[in-house]
Amino acid sequence: MRALIVEDEATSVALLRRIIEGMGHEALIARSGEEGWEAFQANRIHLLLIDWVLPGISGPDLVRMIRQKTGTRGTYILLVTAKADRASLLEAFEAGADDYLRKPFDPHEMMARLRVGERYIQAYEALSGRVADLARANQKMKKDLEAASKVQGDLLPARLPSSPSARFAWKARPCEDLAGDTLNILQIDQRHAVLYVLDVSGHGVAASLMSVTLNRLLSAAANDSLLLGDPAPGEFRGPPRPPHQVLADLNARFQMGDSESNQYFTIILALLDLRTGLLRWSSAGHPGAIHQRLGEAEILERPALPIGFVPDAEYEEHTLQLEPGDRFFLYSDGVPEAGSRRGEHYGDDRLLENIRSCADAPLDDALSSIAIDVELWSNGKPEDDISLVAAEWIGGGDA
Amino acid sequence: MDAVDDRTPDAFPLLDPARLEILAGDDREFLAELLGAFEAECVRHAAQFEAWAADRDAALKAAHTLKGASRNMGADRLAAAAEAFEAAVKDGAADAATRLAALQAEALAAAAAARLRRQSP
């Protein structure tokens, strides 16, 4: 280690240098506060021994400069002084000194105190090394997470079903961790569209991987898609499966005890008949869908267990005949549970009010308005993912 | 000659041999370095006493430095003189000038004692 002795009096310099060198350290000497400041800036100093009364900058002022201007904690500072009063001792520590020793000092006591400094520096350096390692590892992990986050972003709907009888819209705002939410709107055959929002417990890599897996199982393209039944002989695609069966299948596949991550998820999934406007939907522990008709909006609470809790859970199917102008909203709990700075939830009432007030706005604008309002509510930093999916029935289908 | 007897440590009351033993043990080389440094401090300061008569702050700082050095070395008489001067200045005592003169004398005496000790085998 390297020690800097800031001392203008020759016998103290000789004594301190002998102690420092006797301990196997290098000793630099500065004979004034200014010289000490320069030497400190020019060298990595581990141990700093400073006399209180110096020509120019005083010992305590030098300690303050070092602590405040460089902010360093990697230097152990010991103030040495002939001052014997209590106020001086307190001032030394207040200035940022680690220890304080009165002159004349016993060389053995000085050595013992410097050993404390050595231990401090050793611990500090070991910790700094580990912090640097962690920072590197963290940097790498961050890159991986960004890649994962991009994969997830790619899974969001790129193209919405184009039907003259219905409009669709969605918004997704992942929180800072990797998202545990995923959503989709897809047309699975000539006549049907599927909408869903799901929320895997927790955030980060495990939740994200799970949501990617689920997104694939709930796609229209994959031939193992849970959304489609077995094709009839001669047919290429199978018929759409009822939402409650899809949920039951998911529940059979994803039981909490089966994986190490012990995850579960909530999902709300709706199947819309684009000819009739008949909506069939099921929920597994997910926040209730919102049905808006004319100026009114209500939450359709349908309590059920999340996927993964109980192996043979059954899920109910609910139906709703949409009228022209009706809107149907699905969302994740990140919306009503978004917390304000004071910890107050955004809440169902604000959500409903917002939906009602946007009734005349185009569907996509209405969702944007809700997403922005929730984001503002949580000061731009939502703690959970915000997912919104909506359908609007135009009608004119050949029911 | 009397000087022969003067070379035993006990004959140097201006420097505490017990203190020097603590500082240097049987490291004669280091002891010589220490004594040389002390002597130089004493001489350096004693040479500026005229200037200090006109500059109270400089005088106080010098007295403080001498006090530190003399306590290091167990030069108790010099330490006491430095303290007496500091106290006289702080109290605004009329005899500050006398104390300063006494401090100068003690500094020179301590320097001489350090030189003698250094030169003794």
Side-chain angles (χ1 to χ4, degrees), chain A residues 9-10 12 18 53-54 105, chain B residues 19 27 30 41 61 69 72:
Chain A
E9 189 275 302
S12 292
R18 180 174 147 94
V53 179
L54 289 167
F105 51 80
Chain B
R19 176 71 186 160
D27 186 342
F30 178 63
E41 283 291 344
K61 224 168 196 179
N72 274 345

Side-chain angles (χ1 to χ4, degrees), chain B residues 1-116:
Chain B
M1 257 170 66
D2 285 353
V4 175
D5 292 335
D6 285 350
R7 286 173 190 161
T8 64
D10 291 344
F12 295 97
L14 289 170
L15 289 171
D16 179 4
R19 176 71 186 160
L20 296 183
E21 169 71 24
I22 289 173
L23 296 181
D26 54 4
D27 186 342
R28 300 184 61 83
E29 205 178 313
F30 178 63
L31 180 62
E33 181 193 342
L34 207 51
L35 289 164
F38 181 60
E39 183 190 343
E41 283 291 344
C42 290
V43 170
R44 176 164 74 95
H45 286 92
Q48 295 174 45
F49 272 50
E50 267 69 43
W52 296 346
D55 185 344
R56 214 187 65 147
D57 286 347
L60 274 178
K61 224 168 196 179
H64 181 85
T65 304
L66 277 180
K67 190 172 71 179
S70 55
R71 280 190 183 155
N72 274 345
M73 302 297 287
D76 296 340
R77 283 176 51 169
L78 177 54
E83 236 165 84
F85 170 69
E86 279 183 331
V89 173
K90 280 172 186 161
D91 298 348
D95 62 348
T98 316
R99 301 279 192 195
L100 183 59
L103 178 55
Q104 181 179 31
E106 284 299 340
L108 290 172
R115 168 171 297 221
L116 269 176

Side-chain angles (χ1 to χ4, degrees), chain A residues 4-287:
Chain A
L4 173 61
I5 299 165
V6 189
E7 166 68 86
D8 64 323
E9 189 275 302
T11 63
S12 292
V13 170
L15 286 170
L16 292 173
R17 175 159 58 197
R18 180 174 147 94
I19 292 167
I20 295 289
E21 290 177 351
M23 292 171 78
H25 304 314
E26 180 189 349
L28 303 180
I29 314 291
R31 295 188 189 274
S32 70
E34 283 79 358
E35 269 185 43
W37 176 237
E38 280 172 27
F40 180 82
Q41 288 180 304
N43 299 277
R44 167 74 178 100
I45 302 297
H46 302 96
L47 301 168
L48 189 48
L49 295 93
I50 303 180
D51 184 30
W52 189 291
V53 179
L54 289 167
I57 304 169
S58 78
D61 283 345
L62 180 58
V63 175
R64 276 185 207 105
M65 285 168 68
I66 285 171
R67 290 299 194 217
Q68 288 168 13
K69 292 198 184 170
T70 69
T72 179
R73 288 286 147 194
T75 298
Y76 192 84
I77 302 182
L78 198 150
L79 260 174
V80 188
T81 179
K83 289 176 188 286
D85 57 308
R86 185 164 164 273
S88 299
L89 177 128
L90 296 178
E91 188 188 343
F93 285 110
E94 179 272 327
D98 296 301
D99 199 3
Y100 176 93
L101 197 57
R102 292 199 175 116
K103 288 181 185 176
F105 51 80
D106 173 350
H108 289 98
E109 183 182 350
M110 175 61 86
M111 211 179 296
R113 287 173 183 258
L114 285 172
R115 295 261 181 245
V116 175
E118 280 180 344
R119 287 200 292 275
Y120 171 87
I121 294 298
Q122 280 159 2
Y124 177 87
E125 304 247 290
L127 194 64
S128 308
R130 255 173 252 160
V131 168
D133 287 347
L134 277 178
R136 274 190 293 278
N138 195 41
Q139 191 58 33
K140 188 186 173 302
M141 219 145 74
K142 217 171 150 189
K143 273 191 185 163
D144 291 348
L145 289 180
E146 279 165 9
S149 177
K150 185 164 182 319
V151 167
Q152 248 186 346
D154 290 345
L155 295 176
L156 292 169
R159 205 176 35 162
L160 295 174
S162 61
S163 161
S165 56
R167 283 194 199 96
F168 303 92
W170 61 275
K171 298 289 162 201
R173 159 67 155 93
C175 65
E176 287 185 18
D177 295 327
L178 270 180
D181 278 11
T182 190
L183 60 85
N184 215 343
I185 302 169
L186 33 92
Q187 187 155 3
I188 52 170
D189 63 19
Q190 291 287 339
R191 192 173 161 170
H192 296 94
V194 167
L195 304 80
Y196 69 83
V197 173
L198 71 82
D199 180 0
V200 180
S201 60
H203 305 283
V205 176
S208 159
L209 281 176
M210 176 80 142
S211 72
V212 169
T213 304
L214 293 168
N215 183 289
R216 204 182 61 84
L217 283 173
L218 298 175
S219 79
N223 54 16
D224 56 351
S225 171
L226 297 180
L227 298 179
L228 299 169
D230 293 328
E235 294 282 328
F236 178 64
R237 292 175 78 86
R241 301 180 64 226
H244 70 280
Q245 282 183 17
V246 176
L247 266 49
D249 275 7
L250 285 171
N251 188 60
R253 285 201 189 201
F254 298 96
Q255 278 298 304
M256 275 173 77
D258 298 347
S259 68
E260 281 176 23
S261 52
N262 240 3
Q263 286 163 309
Y264 63 92
F265 61 95
T266 65
I267 180 170
I268 186 160
L269 186 131
L271 178 68
L272 176 63
D273 186 326
L274 295 169
R275 279 190 204 157
T276 64
L278 180 71
L279 192 74
R280 304 159 72 188
W281 54 281
S282 284
S283 168
H286 204 84

Side-chain angles (χ1 to χ4, degrees), chain A residues 1 172 201-202 308 320 341 352 380:
Chain A
M1 292 184 193
S201 60
L320 182 66
R341 191 172 295 172
L352 288 171

